[in-house]
Amino acid sequence: MVFPVALEGALKLKEISYIHAEGYPAAEMKHGPIALIDDEMPVVVIATKHGSYEKVVSNIQEVRARKGKIIAIVTEGDTQVKELADYVIEIPETDEILVPLVSVVPLQLLAYHIAVLRGCNVDQPRNLAKSVTVE
């Protein structure tokens, strides 16, 4: 259920900070993205206490073994991921159906602050067509 949130977070990072980013489901990390991880690769994970939590924790351990930088969005009070991640952003405990709504906000804010730090104009991103074309 959080895969679309990961896609949205990656999209916002690309749109306003011009950094390449990809969203992947936890089950697909071993099919390519893991090969890119090194000590300079930041990896943002959504590790809330719902759905595939154990799989996400396993992926975090794989990233950590490859010295990747881990930024984790976790359910408030989560100590397991907090011990593994380099940075943790806590979101409140909520019903599983609301997790995407709550977890997308920190991803959007992360993209915003990264863009500001890079000196990007977040109010007018370059090369984006924000209109609907009708034939």
Side-chain angles (χ1 to χ4, degrees):
M1 184 182 272
V2 295
F3 172 52
V5 176
L7 293 174
E8 172 67 13
L11 177 65
K12 289 301 170 220
L13 195 58
K14 286 185 272 194
E15 284 181 339
I16 64 172
S17 70
Y18 317 120
I19 295 174
H20 182 77
E22 297 291 332
Y24 275 92
E28 292 184 20
M29 190 180 85
K30 64 184 173 203
H31 299 293
I34 200 166
L36 301 173
I37 297 170
D38 61 15
D39 61 347
E40 295 183 22
M41 173 65 70
V43 178
V44 179
V45 297
I46 304 167
T48 58
K49 290 278 189 173
H50 297 288
S52 55
Y53 179 77
E54 294 305 321
K55 180 66 175 173
V56 173
V57 170
S58 174
N59 285 348
I60 292 170
Q61 291 167 335
E62 292 290 338
V63 171
R64 187 176 168 134
R66 288 159 178 79
K67 303 202 182 340
K69 303 291 182 228
I70 303 161
I71 303 164
I73 297 176
V74 302
T75 305
E76 197 171 30
D78 184 326
T79 56
Q80 184 177 4
V81 173
K82 201 176 262 190
E83 291 176 9
L84 298 170
D86 296 291
Y87 305 96
V88 173
I89 302 168
E90 291 185 334
I91 61 172
E93 176 78 37
T94 188
D95 290 330
E96 186 170 6
I97 197 160
L98 296 176
V99 169
L101 181 65
V102 177
S103 60
V104 75
V105 174
L107 293 176
Q108 292 172 334
L109 288 170
L110 182 64
Y112 170 83
H113 288 289
I114 289 171
V116 169
L117 286 170
R118 291 174 50 90
C120 302
N121 183 346
V122 295
D123 294 321
Q124 293 186 327
R126 67 179 187 226
N127 301 327
L128 284 184
K130 291 290 185 176
S131 61
V132 177
T133 306
V134 211
E135 291 183 26

